[in-house]
């Protein structure tokens, strides 16, 4: 009895000491314990994603990949696998498992090492949220107390949900939702039992037990998990056998980008960081842009293919590098693959190595594509590049162009000959010039597509929004608009004759020229813009007044500081971005309203709650509120406070003036007159007649020495801008001679807006307007049609080829008949400084 009594006292003392120690440890570490109540409102760090307006993923930002799932969305087999493997008494313990701790302690005592873990799922959650992975006793003590607190605060379901969403599982995936995507490319709910068991086995060592790093270790670990599930009777023997025999197939699955729009993604990223700070990267917010996936894909293809066509017609500049020369040992396939793996792919351009050259073909090893053949049709374009102005002779055989051992660029092209489409490989090269393309909705300013350059990986500079370039003749519609507002009409005669004005201050004469340098004398205003007559534009500017014109251009959103105080602005000396040009042309397309471009439609939180919604300026034509009728009125509005109320686009141009300018841009494509009667004529944008639509219009733009080429135009509910040029402002786009190998299918001559930029616009519009009904011409109130004489612009009673109908704002139509020989021509001659066309 004495022994029992002493044993009882000893045990009681030990218990008191144990409890006292526990309480002592608790009060010691209590100041350092985090507030686990924060788990009630925890915001899991999930990546920020950018989408098109129709829900196509454009990009994903953030170091951690996470796809949160609710408890109800967690597959039951995953919960069972985790419990069986990580914490079999999960539903019974208060956060720590005394049985598991005791068992682990016995193993340590017997073996001398920690071969068996004792952390519950709750403890792992505590460690993942609040602690590090350092192996120290004090960390373990904190982990235990935090786990107990968590169990007091949260239900078992809430703990399991947080664990499933928080835990790191390798390859930057956090949570089982992201891991399912990374390793198997599926949603968590779509995984098989074998795949779920594989993921459930990874928390022990996610970096080395994942199926990408080691398929063998991952398979063995999966089998252990399945065995534990069978032991716990979560699965049947049949399910176990089937899952264990299933081949484990896994590869890395990155974010599944559905739409290539990296320049748009970068705009969205910068906007989000400016608005929400650096936390935006892990906010899990979804940004929906205004970009339309169909139109963005069309812009990508049109702009890049057009740029490559420009670059290739100027000649082949040779291989990127030479890996081996004649007489040296050739690389084997393994070494070629290893070399190409280090070379990036630029959109349609893929790196390749020439392995064999025949008379009219070449064998190449293409990155990720293996051995391919380039037939003669894909080589014969490649005459040698000499300068931007000169090309060598057309090649006769493949060996004139390439040799074995060269690292080159290739792309796939589609040939639709004889009504059948076929895809073949073609030799190509990374272009030296660059491009930009913007399309926007003129009714509200929504950016529908945006291409900031040839390739974002190659160069991240966004030429659509950041590149300020001379606009060339693209500026003329704005100057002609000022003339219409001042009283000129589409029938007003302007003298198309050379200007030779002595500039005493410069000691030189300014001689602006047409391109081509032909002159026809007095010409109607409509023809002057449609055919881009430079000397006529200067005379129109003089009629309006230089200062008046510069002030007038600001109503389109242009900064007056970017508009030189010089008559050269009539020829395009001003510099603007493609986005600004799209904004300006939208005024004509929408009937006279100023709209601001925007590209963020809305922002949603990780659970679909609306964080932001754009309130763009809306064109209002009927029952509009009073007080917003001009750009000045708009500028007085508090833009920041208008997010929750409609913003109405100010009217900066009369509907009648906008209509008249659209008519001139319509003629830029469709010309006028009657070809059968000998009065037909074309505008500079005649190539767009291929679209076979009468509800389109536009304007070419080419700067001095062809350093910038533009085409800007409109169609139903879309304005689009195409630009091509070198990033080096001093480098001209040059000219080309015909390539005899291409049977006249390649553009030749001096580069200009119509040849260099417009093809991209035409290709884009062909897709953008596909299925869009052709719109009938809407004639504004107070606009009338009057029969005039073609030569004089005066009234006529004739009904032959000398007569035509023209539009006038009522009251501005001619009052005299052609027989009187009276005209309203303008002949002026004033100073100027430099030549642009």
């Amino acid at each position: 009895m004495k022994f029992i009594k002493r044993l009882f006292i000893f045990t009681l003392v030990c218990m008191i000491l144990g409890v006292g120690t526990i309480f002592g440890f608790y009060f010691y570490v209590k100041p350092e314990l985090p507030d686990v109540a924060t788990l009630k409102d925890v915001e899991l760090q999930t990546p920020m994603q950018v989408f098109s307006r129709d829900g196509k993923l454009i990009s994903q930002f953030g170091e951690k990949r996470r796809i949160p799932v609710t408890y109800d969305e967690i597959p039951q087999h995953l919960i069972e696998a985790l419990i069986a493997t990580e914490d079999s008494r999960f539903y019974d313990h208060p956060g720590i498992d005394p049985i598991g701790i005791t068992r682990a302690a016995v193993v340590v005592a017997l073996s001398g090492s920690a071969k068996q873990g004792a952390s519950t799922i709750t403890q792992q959650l505590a460690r993942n949220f609040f602690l590090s992975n350092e192996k120290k006793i004090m960390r373990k003590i904190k982990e235990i107390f935090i786990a107990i607190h968590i169990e007091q605060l949260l239900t078992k379901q809430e703990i399991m949900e947080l664990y499933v969403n928080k835990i790191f599982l390798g390859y930057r995936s956090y949570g089982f939702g992201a891991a399912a995507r990374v390793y198997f490319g599926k949603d968590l709910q779509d995984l098989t039992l074998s795949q779920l068991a594989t993921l459930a086995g990874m928390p022990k060592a996610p970096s080395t037990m994942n199926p990408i790093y080691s398929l063998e270790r991952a398979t063995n670990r999966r089998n252990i998990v399945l065995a534990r599930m069978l032991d716990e009777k979560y699965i049947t023997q049949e399910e176990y056998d089937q899952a264990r025999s299933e081949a484990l197939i896994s590869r890395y699955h990155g974010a599944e980008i559905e739409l290539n729009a990296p320049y748009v993604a970068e705009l969205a990223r910068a906007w989000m960081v400016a608005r929400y700070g650096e936390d935006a990267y892990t906010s899990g917010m979804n940004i929906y842009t205004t970009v339309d996936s169909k139109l963005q894909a069309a812009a990508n293809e049109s702009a890049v293919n057009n740029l490559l066509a420009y670059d290739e017609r100027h000649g082949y500049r040779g291989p990127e590098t030479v890996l081996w020369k004649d007489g040296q040992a050739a690389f084997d396939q393994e070494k070629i693959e290893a070399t190409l793996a280090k070379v990036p792919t630029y959109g349609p351009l893929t790196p390749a190595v020439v392995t064999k050259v025949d008379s009219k073909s070449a064998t190449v090893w293409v990155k990720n594509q293996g051995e391919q053949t380039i037939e003669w049709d894909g080589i014969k374009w490649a005459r040698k590049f000499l300068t931007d102005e000169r090309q060598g002779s057309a090649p006769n055989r493949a060996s004139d162009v390439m040799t074995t051992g060269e690292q080159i660029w290739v792309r796939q092209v589609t040939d639709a000959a004889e009504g059948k489409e076929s895809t073949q490989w073609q030799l190509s090269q990374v272009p030296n010039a660059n491009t930009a393309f913007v399309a926007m909705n003129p009714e509200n300013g929504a950016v529908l597509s945006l291409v900031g350059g040839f390739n974002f990986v190659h160069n991240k500079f966004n030429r659509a929004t950041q590149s300020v370039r001379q606009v060339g003749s693209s500026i003329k519609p704005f100057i002609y608009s000022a003339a219409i507002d001042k009283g000129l009409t589409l029938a007003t005669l302007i003298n198309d004759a050379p200007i030779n004005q002595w500039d005493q201050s410069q000691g030189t004469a300014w001689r602006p020229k047409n391109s081509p340098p032909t002159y026809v004398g007095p010409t109607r205003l409509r023809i002057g813009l449609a055919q881009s007559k430079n000397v006529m534009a200067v005379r129109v500017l003089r009629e309006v007044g230089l200062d008046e014109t510069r002030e007038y251009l600001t109503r389109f959103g242009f900064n007056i500081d970017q508009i030189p105080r010089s008559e050269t602005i009539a020829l395009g000396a001003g510099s603007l971005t493609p986005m600004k040009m799209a904004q300006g042309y939208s005024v004509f397309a929408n009937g006279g309203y100023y709209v601001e471009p925007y590209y963020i439609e809305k922002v949603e939180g990780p659970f679909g709650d609306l964080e932001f919604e754009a309130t763009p300026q809306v064109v209002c034509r009927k029952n509009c509120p009073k007080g917003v009728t001009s750009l000045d009125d708009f500028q007085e509005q508090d833009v920041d406070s208008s997010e929750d109320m409609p913003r109405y686009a100010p009217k900066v141009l009369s509907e009648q003036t906008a209509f008249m300018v659209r008519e001139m841009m319509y003629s830029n494509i469709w010309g006028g007159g009657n070809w059968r009667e000998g009065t037909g004529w074309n505008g500079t944008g005649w190539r767009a007649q291929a679209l076979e639509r009468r509800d389109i219009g536009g304007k070419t733009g080419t700067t001095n020495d062809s350093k910038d080429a533009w085409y800007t135009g409109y169609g139903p509910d879309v304005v689009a801008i195409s630009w091509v040029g070198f990033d080096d402002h001093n480098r001209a786009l040059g000219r080309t001679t015909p390539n005899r190998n291409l049977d006249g299918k390649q553009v030749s001559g001096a580069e200009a807006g119509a040849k260099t930029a417009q093809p991209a616009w035409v290709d884009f519009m062909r897709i953008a307007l596909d299925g869009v009904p052709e719109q009938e011409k809407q004639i504004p109130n107070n606009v009338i049609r009057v029969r005039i004489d073609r030569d004089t612009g005066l009234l006529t009673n004739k009904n032959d080829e000398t007569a035509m109908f023209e539009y006038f704002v009522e009251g501005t139509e001619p009052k005299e008949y052609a027989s009187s020989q009276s005209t309203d021509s303008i002949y002026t001659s004033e100073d100027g400084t430099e030549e642009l066309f």
Side-chain angles (χ1 to χ4, degrees), residues 252-358:
Y252 178 76
H253 295 78
E256 295 184 5
I257 303 302
E258 299 172 284
L259 178 64
N260 179 30
Y263 292 98
V264 176
E266 174 57 22
L267 287 171
R269 182 205 64 79
W271 185 89
M272 284 293 292
V273 172
R275 186 178 181 90
Y276 297 101
E278 294 293 325
D279 290 342
Y281 291 119
T282 56
S283 65
M285 286 192 276
N286 296 324
I287 304 98
Y288 289 86
T289 66
T290 58
V291 166
D292 178 276
S293 62
K294 173 187 172 183
L295 300 189
Q296 181 63 41
N300 291 341
E301 185 174 0
S302 301
V304 172
N305 284 348
N306 179 63
L307 180 64
L308 291 172
Y310 160 82
D311 188 71
E312 290 173 4
R313 66 176 171 261
H314 280 261
Y316 182 55
R317 293 184 295 277
E320 186 74 15
T321 187
V322 178
L323 302 181
W324 71 86
K325 298 180 180 179
D326 287 340
Q328 295 179 333
F331 286 14
D332 58 23
Q333 291 181 359
E334 184 177 351
K335 191 170 184 180
I336 290 175
E337 276 288 2
T339 301
L340 292 178
K342 302 174 184 177
V343 182
T345 296
Y346 298 134
L349 298 189
T350 305
V353 175
V354 182
T355 58
K356 182 182 178 183
V357 180
D358 295 318

Side-chain angles (χ1 to χ4, degrees), residues 46 48 74 94 120 289 294 296 306 393 395-396 425 444 480 507 593 621 644 718 808:
T46 55
M48 176 178 72
I74 304 172
T120 64
T289 66
K294 173 187 172 183
Q296 181 63 41
N306 179 63
S393 58
N396 295 313
W425 288 98
N444 59 11
Y480 277 63
Y593 296 86
R621 296 186 175 89
D644 297 326
V718 61
F808 295 89

Side-chain angles (χ1 to χ4, degrees), residues 483-496:
I484 294 291
D485 268 355
K486 189 152 185 178
L488 275 67
T489 72
L490 302 188
T492 299
L493 293 183
I494 307 294
N495 194 17
D496 179 25

